[in-house]
Amino acid sequence: MVIETNRNASKILQETRLSRSSRLKKWTPTDEIEMRKFIGILIWMGLANHPRITDYWSGNILYKNSVACKVMSRNRFQLMLLFSHFNDHAEEGRSGRSSKILPLVSSMNEIFLNKKSAGQDFVIDETMIPYRRRLSLRQYIPNKAHKYGLKIFNPCGQLGCTYCIKVYMGKGTIHNENNELVSTLVVMKLMENHLDKGQILYVDNNYTSGQLNKNLLARRTHLVGTVRANRKGLPVEVMKAQIKKEK
């Protein structure tokens, strides 16, 4: 992150015609210590939710705090936010839509896998990271609390720990050779490091299918979840079954 942020800043400054009073002229290369502070502020912002970035440095009695201003100035933070980058521009065209964040996601998945041992029970679901600006990865899901944003698939354990994340790139971006359900491909990819260990996977009806069940059983993994009656590949008895609601 330090290397690529500095590289990106140099590229932008060389290609941009700056005015005499431009704030960008005050940029100086960052280092690992400052980058850790920058990430710390970003994490803290997720806990102390204010309407605008400037509010975290505000002296207004409604927002006044002693965290951000002691770690980094507002102007410096905004410069870091502007120039922050995760991948070399020369490599971006080779990795598809996720090229800009691929090194970050790969590093996070490696940490998730090696820092915490997984228990027997897993659950897989999707998360929306709210985002409304222009982005090729942005999705629109009307039944979500945040309707616009990045769609993330993630398997979690009993204690809520995430063991992997996969960013959804959009329709047609998941390679499918055997004409399997996309949901099945996603689950098998997310669970690839946790198969053949007798794990139990819990999912909702977006993922449950006979196909997924067979694939998991072949890898000594059990599946528990609700199921849609019209899901392709289900036994006729299941498709016609009527379950009475409790009063």
Side-chain angles (χ1 to χ4, degrees), residues 44 63 93 108 119 122 243:
W44 170 74
Y63 305 121
M108 290 173 65
F122 277 88
I243 301 176

Side-chain angles (χ1 to χ4, degrees), residues 179 181 209-211 228-234 239:
N179 198 30
L181 293 170
S209 67
Q211 187 181 68
R228 295 176 181 175
N230 61 350
R231 178 71 79 180
K232 184 180 178 180
L234 287 180
M239 297 176 69

Side-chain angles (χ1 to χ4, degrees), residues 100-217:
K100 289 185 179 294
I101 58 173
L102 185 61
L104 176 64
V105 173
S106 299
S107 296
M108 290 173 65
N109 283 337
E110 184 177 349
I111 293 172
F112 293 152
L113 181 63
N114 297 325
K115 296 298 182 181
K116 182 70 176 178
S117 298
Q120 183 183 37
D121 298 326
F122 277 88
V123 61
I124 285 182
D125 205 351
E126 58 194 43
T127 302
M128 287 289 285
I129 299 178
Y131 194 82
R132 282 184 169 268
R133 296 186 180 182
R134 291 181 59 185
L135 185 66
S136 61
L137 306 182
R138 193 188 69 172
Q139 301 295 312
Y140 171 68
I141 305 179
N143 62 343
K144 292 290 186 181
H146 299 289
K147 295 177 173 54
Y148 293 92
L150 274 70
K151 183 178 178 180
I152 307 291
F153 298 106
N154 54 304
C156 300
Q158 289 174 282
L159 300 178
C161 296
T162 294
Y163 293 99
C164 178
I165 61 172
K166 179 177 177 59
V167 182
Y168 181 60
M169 302 299 161
K171 187 176 180 180
T173 57
I174 298 178
H175 188 55
N176 190 353
E177 291 182 348
N178 301 319
N179 198 30
E180 294 183 331
L181 293 170
V182 171
S183 58
T184 297
L185 296 173
V186 169
V187 171
M188 296 304 294
K189 179 63 177 179
L190 291 171
M191 291 293 293
E192 62 182 353
N193 292 309
H194 305 286
L195 298 172
D196 302 312
K197 300 176 183 178
Q199 311 283 27
I200 302 175
L201 176 63
Y202 298 84
V203 296
D204 62 22
N205 58 29
N206 287 320
Y207 304 95
T208 312
S209 67
Q211 187 181 68
L212 176 60
N213 192 37
K214 291 178 181 179
N215 290 0
L216 289 174
L217 282 176

